[in-house]
């Protein structure tokens, strides 16, 4: 009799455990379904009645199960091969922010875009006026961008301890907004939400400078809202096509400390400029602490990023996975190259690694504020 009671008790405990596991699995499935629906359109609300649409390049392929399996196998083999801490360093580019409504530079089908150079900006008042007039309009839109699937997925991998660091070529600050720890982000090319004075070094929030430009240009009126949206969606980093007549009537911002003759510059690295030494050093440290390199949404055309991949391959013998739409400068160095949508693929990879309790904890604490 005692034996049968014990057997019955064991069966009851087993059923309870199965129900509990099934409940956890169901919660996990419901959460993933909710997140998938939230991001399936790639659109984010900016204000009531206004949607910041995605600007995916035409022809972008969605990943399939074989793409997901290839990335997972790449990571697992890399971790086992190094027999160490199991961390990946991500080098991300403009392609991870197209879902957030910010165009990239070099995807197939993108219209040609010639950005301002460092020498042009610092040497010519006319170029500075032109830059600030265009950026004044474009930044209003850019500042409303929200993190996409790639940003959120990297934040979850960070929570899991799989991310040694993220070397970002973007200036939009969406990785931080998505929840990646700031200590594991190096903004290789700066941050467009900050402005600095080239005379005294004062750094000012871009929102403050936007207000100053608004006060200086109360009667300045660019083209219609429809034309603004079309131009902004065609150009990276919030650039906006303004006619020369309008440029000539625009008053650029100035430093509050140095006065109207000062030169204010966004805290970004223009083409032809140098990456700050501290940023380059941190990027190298991230790579040295890694077991593998994951390049996301970047053609690696600038040497500041390509040089890091080259060093990881030749000096550190690290395996390299590149997920990007179109060819990159480092394709010949890649262990794995996939030409698919980065956001959807990274979201699938994230689902594989994230246990329910960690993902749910991250969702409760971090994710709701960016929906």
């Amino acid at each position: 009799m005692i034996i049968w009671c014990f057997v019955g008790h064991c069966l009851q405990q087993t059923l309870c455990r199965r129900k509990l596991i099934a409940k956890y699995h169901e919660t996990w499935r419901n959460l993933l379904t909710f997140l998938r629906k939230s991001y399936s359109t790639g659109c984010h609300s900016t204000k009531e009645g206004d949607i910041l649409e995605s600007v995916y390049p035409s022809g972008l392929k969605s990943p399939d199960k074989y793409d997901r399996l290839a990335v997972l196998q790449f990571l697992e083999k890399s971790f086992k091969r190094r027999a160490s801490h199991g961390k990946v360093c991500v080098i991300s580019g403009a392609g991870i922010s197209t879902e957030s409504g910010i165009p990239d530079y070099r995807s197939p089908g993108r219209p040609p875009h010639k950005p301002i150079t460092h020498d042009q900006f610092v040497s010519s008042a006319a170029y500075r006026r032109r830059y600030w007039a265009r950026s004044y309009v474009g930044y209003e839109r850019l500042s409303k961008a929200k993190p996409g699937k790639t940003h959120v997925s990297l934040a979850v991998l960070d929570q899991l301890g799989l991310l040694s660091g993220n070397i970002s070529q973007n200036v939009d600050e969406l990785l931080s907004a998505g929840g990646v720890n700031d200590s594991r982000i190096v903004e290789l090319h700066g941050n467009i939400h900050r402005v600095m004075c080239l005379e005294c070094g004062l750094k000012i929030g871009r929102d403050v400078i936007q207000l100053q430009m608004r006060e200086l240009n109360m009667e300045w009126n660019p083209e219609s809202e429809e034309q603004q949206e079309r131009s902004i969606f065609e150009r990276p980093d919030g650039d906006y096509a303004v006619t020369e007549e309008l440029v000539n009537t625009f008053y650029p911002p100035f430093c509050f400390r140095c006065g109207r003759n000062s030169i204010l510059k966004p805290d970004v690295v223009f083409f032809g400029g140098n990456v700050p030494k501290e940023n380059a050093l941190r990027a190298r440290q991230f790579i040295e602490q890694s077991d593998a390199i994951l390049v996301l949404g970047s053609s690696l055309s600038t040497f500041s990023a390509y040089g890091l991949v080259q060093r990881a391959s030749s000096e550190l013998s690290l395996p390299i996975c590149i997920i990007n739409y179109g060819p990159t400068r480092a394709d010949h160095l890649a262990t794995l190259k996939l030409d698919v949508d980065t956001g959807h693929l990274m979201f699938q990879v994230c689902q594989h690694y994230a246990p329910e309790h960690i993902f749910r904890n991250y969702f409760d604490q971090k994710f709701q504020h960016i929906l």
Side-chain angles (χ1 to χ4, degrees):
M1 185 67 181
I2 295 175
I3 294 175
W4 282 113
C5 288
F6 176 74
V7 171
H9 176 73
C10 290
L11 288 173
Q12 187 178 13
Q13 291 294 317
T14 302
L15 289 173
C16 288
R17 283 196 206 98
R18 287 183 177 178
K19 287 180 180 179
L20 186 61
I21 292 171
K23 181 181 178 181
Y24 278 144
H25 285 179
E26 184 64 26
T27 304
W28 174 234
R29 280 194 297 270
N30 290 340
L31 177 59
L32 290 177
T33 301
F34 171 74
L35 294 176
R36 198 177 295 116
K37 286 181 179 179
S38 298
Y39 280 100
S40 62
T41 61
C43 297
H44 303 283
S45 175
T46 59
K47 61 182 180 180
E48 192 170 353
D50 183 23
I51 297 295
L52 186 56
E53 297 177 2
S54 299
V55 284
Y56 289 117
S58 58
L60 183 61
K61 173 180 173 285
S62 294
D64 55 30
K65 61 181 180 180
Y66 301 106
D67 297 320
R68 172 179 173 272
L69 183 61
V71 175
L72 292 175
Q73 288 178 342
F74 166 83
L75 292 175
E76 293 301 325
K77 286 180 180 178
S78 301
F79 296 159
K80 289 179 181 178
R81 173 177 167 271
R82 302 273 294 183
S84 59
H85 33 43
K87 288 183 181 288
V88 62
C89 177
V90 173
I91 300 176
S92 56
I96 74 169
S97 293
T98 54
E99 179 187 8
S100 300
I102 304 174
D104 59 4
Y105 284 93
R106 300 179 183 88
S107 287
R110 281 275 183 250
H113 177 68
K114 189 176 180 180
I116 190 171
T117 67
H118 177 82
D119 289 343
Q120 287 173 335
F121 187 91
V122 299
S123 63
S124 170
Y127 270 109
R128 290 195 293 274
R129 182 190 300 273
R130 181 175 180 268
Y131 171 84
W132 283 116
R134 297 161 71 100
S135 182
Y136 170 65
V137 182
Y139 183 79
E140 292 290 337
R141 190 79 179 179
L142 176 66
S143 63
K144 296 181 175 72
K146 303 294 182 183
K149 284 189 287 291
T150 306
H151 307 106
V152 174
S153 298
L154 292 175
V156 174
L157 293 182
D158 182 20
Q159 295 284 315
L160 293 169
L162 296 174
L163 194 65
S164 64
N166 191 303
I167 303 168
S168 175
Q169 300 173 77
N170 299 339
V171 297
D172 51 36
E173 207 177 38
L174 290 179
L175 282 169
S176 180
V180 179
N181 192 302
D182 288 340
S183 66
R184 279 181 284 280
I185 301 173
V186 56
E187 295 171 322
L188 205 60
H189 297 154
N191 188 321
I192 203 167
H193 301 294
R194 296 190 302 262
V195 177
M196 64 182 298
C197 175
L198 298 185
E199 309 293 331
C200 68
L202 178 68
K203 291 193 177 183
I204 314 166
R206 177 60 188 267
D207 53 346
V208 175
I209 296 303
Q210 283 293 109
L211 290 174
Q212 186 196 59
M213 288 191 286
R214 191 175 303 161
E215 292 294 325
L216 292 171
N217 299 278
M218 294 292 289
E219 298 181 3
W220 194 77
N221 186 28
E223 288 86 348
S224 69
E225 187 173 335
E226 181 181 347
Q227 288 174 309
Q228 290 179 32
E229 289 192 6
R230 183 172 65 251
S231 175
I232 292 165
F233 284 135
E234 290 175 353
R235 296 168 181 270
D237 296 335
D239 188 26
Y240 169 65
V242 178
T243 63
E244 288 304 314
E245 291 80 8
L246 281 169
V247 167
N248 292 333
T249 62
F250 188 82
Y251 291 97
F254 56 87
C255 176
F256 298 104
R257 182 185 294 169
C258 301
R260 288 185 177 271
N261 292 326
S262 58
I263 299 177
L264 284 187
K265 174 184 172 293
D267 194 13
V268 301
V269 179
F270 285 135
F271 280 77
N274 295 320
V275 173
K277 289 183 179 179
E278 60 272 19
N279 289 356
L281 178 61
R282 284 189 67 209
R284 290 167 67 95
Q285 289 173 344
F286 283 162
I287 287 177
E288 291 167 358
Q289 297 165 1
S290 304
D291 303 303
I293 304 297
L294 191 57
V295 178
L296 302 178
S298 174
S299 62
L300 300 172
S301 295
T302 61
F303 188 78
S304 57
Y306 171 70
L308 292 169
V309 176
Q310 192 178 45
R311 180 173 184 270
S313 175
S314 61
E315 296 182 25
L316 303 175
S317 300
L318 294 178
I320 296 162
C321 172
I322 300 176
I323 306 172
N324 183 68
Y325 180 48
T328 79
R329 191 175 177 180
D331 283 355
H332 64 288
L333 301 175
T335 309
L336 174 66
K337 168 70 191 326
L338 296 174
D339 220 334
V340 297
D341 176 10
T342 304
H344 282 87
L345 181 54
M346 287 307 300
F347 203 67
Q348 293 173 16
V349 171
C350 177
Q351 290 178 24
H352 172 82
Y353 280 111
E356 190 271 343
H357 68 284
I358 293 180
F359 200 94
R360 184 171 183 179
N361 181 59
Y362 171 77
F363 172 78
D364 289 339
Q365 295 183 11
K366 299 270 189 180
F367 190 70
Q368 292 192 27
H369 78 281
I370 63 171
L371 279 176

